Amino acid sequence: MGSEAAQACQTSTYDPKLLSKIPQEIIDRDYGCGNPSKYANEGDIILDLGSGSGKICYILFQIVKSKGQVIGIDINREMIELSRSHLDTFFRKVGYNNLRFIWGSISNLAVDYDLVNKMISNNKLSSIDDLFKLETRIHKQCKIQPIIADNSIDLVVSNCVINLVDSQSKRNVFEEIFRVFKIGGRIALSDNVSNIEVPDEIKNDPDLWVSCYAGVYQEQVFYRLLQEVGFVGLTIKTRSRVSEKSIDNIKFYSVTVTAFKPRDCCKAQALGGTVLYKGPWSQVRDEAGLILIRGELTTVSSEQLEQLRHSIFANDLYFLPRTS
């Protein structure tokens, strides 16, 4: 990643105590436009998309501690080898070892590239039929045992990575995140966005692409796509006050957003309890149409209650005994 990329992907402030245990080589070869690690909790199972040198994974691992697990995935084999090369030393420092790095694509979290590479090495491909047979084996393996299983992850983070995915595969990234999430699973995605749609001449500029600009979403499209895939409770946690870069009338901003995977509120309507919205707004409305008015008691179904308890709104609510 060149100097332009370093300019775009600024290093955020991290806890120096967490950084002190991480090899300097890992720190020096990492870039990012935010700090999604601060949304992790002890005991979480976390997936880092585009883990690069592994810095955020090494930080997250210290946050989740021995009861949690951290998985980094990156398509760049050199970066995977770098991130893996310091694991043994790091494990000795912290005293536990629930951290691993996967060679794979963030737009298809089922495929283990190490396994595919092994399959190719062990099978002589002498015809197109041999290739078809190998593809069938890989597809079957992904269905039976995807490298990241359905409903297995508490938190997915990424740091200035989604913009680097080709345009046709970006939606796949969000759909794959949704697949691997547990109910109530959260995202904390840091990335660059633009004020207007990026034109083709910029999208086709390789220097601007690797610099984290050419492949960005227009800001509102980014938020809307997350909602279309199924995430709820979308919250813009941070947004740069001024643009990180301008090209003509296009301005680029860094944002960090959180959201979560809901339960299906349509499957059960049994009364679950009562909630009271604390504020500060006079009222709020979620994506399913539930309206909460500040200071008023609202009776919700058991599914809605469970969803709210595990949502980012939980701290804004009082959970009270059922009113009827």
Side-chain angles (χ1 to χ4, degrees), residues 71 73 100 102 108-112 142 145-149 179:
I71 306 164
I73 183 167
R100 62 189 174 111
I102 295 170
N108 188 344
L109 297 174
V111 181
D112 180 350
C142 291
Q145 193 173 8
I147 192 65
I148 307 294
R179 174 184 69 80

Side-chain angles (χ1 to χ4, degrees), residues 253-273:
Y253 300 87
S254 61
V255 299
T256 297
V257 299
T258 60
F260 67 95
K261 181 177 182 175
R263 289 180 178 272
D264 185 351
C265 294
C266 300
K267 289 183 178 179
Q269 295 300 325
L271 294 181

Side-chain angles (χ1 to χ4, degrees), residues 110-259:
V111 181
D112 180 350
Y113 280 18
D114 281 315
L115 179 60
V116 172
N117 196 44
K118 185 177 180 180
M119 285 182 177
I120 293 172
S121 299
N122 293 339
N123 290 269
K124 294 181 179 180
L125 304 180
S126 57
S127 68
I128 192 69
D129 289 336
D130 291 338
L131 177 59
F132 289 155
K133 289 177 183 178
L134 179 60
E135 289 178 340
T136 300
R137 285 187 59 198
I138 293 170
H139 180 74
K140 183 177 180 180
Q141 180 68 35
C142 291
K143 288 290 185 181
I144 296 174
Q145 193 173 8
I147 192 65
I148 307 294
D150 295 3
N151 309 309
S152 62
I153 302 295
D154 294 306
L155 173 66
V156 169
V157 304
S158 73
N159 197 357
C160 205
V161 169
I162 294 173
N163 69 81
L164 296 171
V165 177
D166 68 87
S167 300
Q168 289 73 30
S169 301
K170 277 186 169 65
R171 187 183 181 96
N172 294 348
V173 174
F174 297 131
E175 291 175 344
E176 278 290 87
I177 295 172
F178 202 80
R179 174 184 69 80
V180 303
F181 262 168
K182 297 177 181 178
I183 297 297
R186 300 112 56 208
I187 55 172
L189 309 179
S190 296
D191 223 301
N192 289 329
V193 294
S194 61
N195 63 326
I196 60 176
E197 185 177 356
V198 176
D200 288 341
E201 59 264 29
I202 292 179
K203 289 180 180 179
N204 296 328
D205 186 319
D207 291 331
L208 290 173
W209 189 275
V210 299
S211 300
C212 306
Y213 295 123
V216 305
Y217 274 119
Q218 191 277 332
E219 185 171 3
Q220 283 67 47
V221 173
F222 181 53
Y223 304 148
R224 187 165 61 247
L225 182 55
L226 286 167
Q227 294 174 303
E228 288 176 0
V229 169
F231 295 104
V232 298
L234 179 68
T235 303
I236 304 162
K237 288 292 188 179
T238 63
R239 184 183 188 276
S240 54
R241 292 180 178 273
V242 296
S243 62
E244 305 288 344
K245 184 179 179 67
S246 296
I247 302 175
D248 296 329
N249 60 340
I250 306 170
K251 298 184 184 299
F252 298 88
Y253 300 87
S254 61
V255 299
T256 297
V257 299
T258 60

